[in-house]
């Protein structure tokens, strides 16, 4: 049965709308969701403009989108935690239940992950989408579906804070104040950090950081060395940070992050940059720093992201700058690519379409 309008990436810079078949529940633990709100992520844009991210190459037409929330319209016969009409945030990556990574508690690292809008898997910019019930997080009544869609990037912020072992009293610095960087900074505060510095080259991004409650902001001075930038951040804070996160992927930011950390500090790489960079290994060793990578999110991260939104600890909705109808999806992507938006939300297909 067709009646599942979908926004399709055919090839680089070539998108279209297509009526796909309505998916049918075949696993009794799955639910069918009518997608209501979807955010645009940087990875969606990268597939749009480049057709690939690393080893993941778009070879067949693919539905875009993975930051979504919607309403349950059908449940499998074994589903017990959800019912028709429930509003849910949709965690868009399903691991193999048989992988070592899943069994060891690191399902985000599963090599067999079926992740929405990552080739060869279709995404969520459509009317109907299927998920296992345990990859849906029910939204409290006062949390909007737009906020539910923002649970996806916010879950990255939650995972970063866990990777960095943020505890009350920590002082953190986050390099890069794009949507994910801002959510990482806000999560650090929610985890108990007393001071958080957002670092970026653009004042407009740092103004938004202030608006969502980030305690300090910093613009690097052109021509400064990483050591000089680190000293200015120390002067700004009155102390050395215990946690540093790079959400930019920029080599100077990574170098500054290592320089700025207090001895024994923790560093997390959240942004994707060039494959190889010059890294200050001597300072890393002499300070006895701990460094970790970060890939998406793991067990409990989505649920905690929704709780942070519901409690008001993370004002994620303030990041939304533009909203578009489903039929305006191409315009929504072009708005993101123009650099004019912070966070864009696309409505699901209207019922009468």
């Amino acid at each position: 049965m067709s009646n599942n309008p979908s926004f399709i990436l055919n090839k680089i810079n070539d998108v279209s709308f297509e009526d796909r078949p309505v998916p049918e529940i075949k696993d009794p633990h799955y639910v069918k969701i009518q997608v209501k709100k979807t955010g645009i992520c940087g990875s969606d844009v990268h597939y749009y403009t480049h057709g690939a991210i690393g080893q993941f190459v778009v070879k067949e037409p693919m539905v875009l989108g993975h930051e979504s929330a919607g309403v349950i319209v059908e449940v499998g016969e074994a589903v017990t935690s959800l019912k028709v009409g429930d509003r849910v945030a949709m965690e868009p990556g399903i691991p193999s239940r048989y992988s070592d990574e899943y069994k060891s508690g690191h399902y985000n690292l599963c090599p067999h992950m079926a992740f929405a809008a990552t080739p060869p898997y279709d995404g969520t910019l459509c009317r109907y989408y299927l998920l296992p019930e345990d990859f849906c997080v029910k939204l409290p009544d006062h949390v909007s579906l737009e906020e539910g869609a923002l649970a996806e990037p916010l879950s990255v912020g939650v995972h970063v804070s866990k990777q960095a072992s943020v505890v009350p009293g920590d002082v953190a610095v986050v390099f890069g104040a794009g949507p994910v960087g801002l959510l990482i900074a806000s999560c650090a505060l929610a985890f108990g950090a007393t001071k958080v510095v957002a670092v970026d080259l653009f004042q407009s991004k740092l103004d938004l950081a202030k608006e969502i409650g980030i305690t300090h902001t910093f613009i690097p001075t052109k021509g400064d060395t990483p050591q000089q930038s680190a000293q200015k951040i120390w002067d700004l804070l009155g102390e050395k940070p215990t946690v540093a996160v790079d959400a930019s992927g920029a080599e100077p930011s990574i170098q500054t992050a290592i320089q700025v950390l207090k001895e024994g500090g923790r560093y997390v790489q959240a942004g994707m940059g060039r494959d190889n960079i010059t890294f200050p290994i001597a300072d890393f060793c002499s300070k006895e720093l701990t460094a970790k990578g970060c890939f998406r999110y793991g067990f409990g991260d989505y649920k905690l992201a929704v709780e942070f939104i519901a409690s008001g600890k993370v004002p994620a909705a303030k990041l939304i700058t533009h909203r578009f109808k489903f039929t305006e999806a191409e315009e929504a992507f072009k708005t993101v690519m123009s650099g004019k938006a912070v966070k864009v939300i696309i409505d699901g297909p209207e019922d009468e379409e």
Side-chain angles (χ1 to χ4, degrees):
M1 179 179 69
S2 295
N3 192 20
N4 189 25
S6 304
F7 185 62
I8 310 291
L9 175 65
N10 299 299
K11 58 186 179 182
I12 294 174
N13 293 324
D14 180 0
V15 293
S16 62
F17 294 96
E18 183 179 312
D19 191 9
R20 292 283 186 94
V22 175
E24 296 181 6
I25 294 176
K26 297 178 180 178
D27 185 317
H29 296 281
Y30 271 60
V31 299
K32 184 186 295 183
I33 304 155
Q34 185 172 359
V35 182
K36 294 293 188 181
K37 302 290 180 180
T38 299
I40 297 179
C41 173
S43 66
D44 293 314
V45 172
H46 200 83
Y47 281 123
Y48 190 121
T49 56
H50 293 79
I53 296 179
Q55 64 183 358
F56 299 104
V57 181
V58 178
K59 298 178 181 178
E60 302 288 339
M62 178 184 78
V63 181
L64 289 166
H66 64 269
E67 299 181 359
S68 292
V71 178
I72 304 292
V73 294
E74 185 182 347
V75 299
E77 59 184 20
V79 171
T80 59
S81 63
L82 296 169
K83 65 183 185 302
V84 172
D86 283 346
R87 301 155 59 256
V88 295
M90 301 160 55
E91 183 171 346
I94 312 305
S96 165
R97 309 286 185 160
Y98 305 103
S99 68
D100 287 346
E101 292 78 11
Y102 175 81
K103 289 183 284 189
S104 66
H106 305 282
Y107 70 74
N108 57 310
L109 304 180
C110 175
H112 311 293
M113 175 74 77
F115 198 87
T118 297
Y121 303 103
D122 285 323
T124 58
L125 270 170
C126 55
R127 176 174 285 151
Y128 297 114
Y129 195 81
L130 300 181
L131 278 177
E133 67 171 316
D134 59 331
F135 280 76
C136 297
V137 179
K138 187 176 177 180
L139 298 175
D141 291 342
H142 68 282
V143 174
S144 70
L145 285 163
E146 285 188 341
E147 290 172 314
L150 293 176
E152 198 280 339
L154 180 53
S155 293
V156 176
V158 170
H159 196 63
V160 167
S161 286
K162 288 183 178 180
Q163 289 293 86
S165 301
V166 177
V167 295
D170 269 328
V171 175
V173 55
V174 179
F175 293 84
V180 172
L182 291 172
L183 291 171
I184 289 170
S186 194
C187 271
L189 288 169
F191 269 74
T194 54
K195 299 177 185 177
V196 177
V197 187
V199 181
D200 205 280
L201 296 172
F202 297 96
Q203 185 63 50
S204 60
K205 294 182 179 181
L206 298 182
D207 290 342
L208 182 54
K210 282 287 190 181
E211 188 178 337
I212 67 170
I214 307 308
T215 61
H216 296 74
T217 60
F218 177 74
I219 297 179
T221 301
K222 187 176 181 179
D224 273 3
T225 65
Q227 292 86 352
Q228 289 170 326
S229 291
Q231 182 63 58
K232 289 180 178 179
I233 293 172
W234 294 337
D235 293 342
L236 174 68
L237 288 169
E239 58 186 316
K240 293 183 178 181
T242 51
V243 171
V245 178
D246 175 64
S248 71
E251 185 173 302
S253 295
I254 295 168
Q255 294 169 341
T256 304
I258 299 303
Q259 297 293 340
V260 82
L261 273 169
K262 184 177 182 178
E263 287 71 12
R266 291 99 68 198
Y267 174 73
V268 174
Q269 184 62 43
M272 299 289 282
R274 291 193 293 116
D275 288 345
N276 297 290
I277 63 164
T278 301
F279 185 82
I281 195 73
D283 290 286
F284 178 79
C285 291
S286 63
K287 289 185 178 182
E288 207 169 269
L289 303 179
T290 299
K292 289 185 178 181
C294 177
F295 188 60
R296 295 177 180 149
Y297 29 76
F299 176 70
D301 294 340
Y302 234 84
K303 182 178 179 181
L304 186 54
V306 170
E307 290 180 358
F308 278 165
I309 292 171
S311 67
K313 289 183 178 179
V314 176
K318 289 187 177 182
L319 271 60
I320 301 171
T321 54
H322 295 73
R323 296 170 174 85
F324 292 88
K325 294 180 180 180
F326 183 77
T327 52
E328 301 169 330
E330 184 173 0
E331 182 185 348
F333 271 81
K334 289 180 178 178
T335 300
V336 174
M337 288 184 273
S338 72
K340 297 176 182 177
V342 178
K343 203 66 191 172
V344 164
I345 296 290
I346 302 173
D347 289 342
E350 294 180 8
D351 291 335
E352 63 269 18
E353 285 180 350

